[in-house]
Amino acid sequence: QVQLVESGGGLVQAGGSLRLSCAASGKFFSIDDMGWYRQAPGKQRELVATITSRGTTNYADSVKGRFTISRDNAKNTVYLQMNSLKPEDTAVYYCNAEIWSRLRLSYNYWGQGTQVTVSS
């Protein structure tokens, strides 16, 4: 069974940094797009950043210049380096991936979420 396992969340002061990791495990053929989304209390889940299998990235305007998404295809892992964190970045961060099964069927997976809290 395919799973996305996140790590790296926590509590940090404004201006600080955190690095999130998300590793895909299980049996599958390949991974296409990977990304990070976040959901703050009382708000809808929103896109933070995505990265294609070839490394093309896309960012929400609110995090451009502060966050960097990257991936290690050999480790089936996507990262989110978050710098200059602001209190408004506080949310549960979810990893997302489009994964091709060995039968060449594409499925969308979500991680369990990791809490990021930025204090002022």
Side-chain angles (χ1 to χ4, degrees):
Q1 184 172 350
V2 176
Q3 285 186 318
L4 298 178
V5 180
E6 299 143 342
S7 60
L11 173 64
V12 65
Q13 288 188 332
S17 298
L18 282 175
R19 189 192 194 208
L20 306 182
S21 300
C22 171
S25 64
K27 297 181 179 180
F28 50 86
F29 176 67
S30 67
I31 304 176
D32 265 351
D33 294 357
M34 303 185 81
W36 291 94
Y37 293 72
R38 66 187 182 187
Q39 187 167 17
K43 295 187 177 181
Q44 290 189 333
R45 190 173 298 188
E46 63 177 3
L47 179 147
V48 176
T50 61
I51 184 168
T52 69
S53 58
R54 295 189 177 187
T56 301
T57 58
N58 178 55
Y59 295 92
D61 287 343
S62 59
V63 306
K64 282 181 181 177
R66 301 187 298 121
F67 291 10
T68 302
I69 189 170
S70 61
R71 64 191 284 172
D72 184 333
N73 290 332
K75 295 182 179 180
N76 298 318
T77 299
V78 63
Y79 306 95
L80 185 68
Q81 178 65 45
M82 304 184 293
N83 298 328
S84 302
L85 282 160
K86 303 175 181 179
E88 51 263 44
D89 294 318
T90 296
V92 178
Y93 283 70
Y94 296 91
C95 174
N96 178 268
E98 199 74 24
I99 298 178
W100 289 91
S101 71
R102 293 186 173 186
L103 295 178
R104 306 301 191 266
L105 297 173
S106 178
Y107 297 92
N108 189 262
Y109 292 90
W110 291 93
Q112 80 283 1
T114 185
Q115 177 70 45
V116 171
T117 302
V118 184
S119 63
S120 57

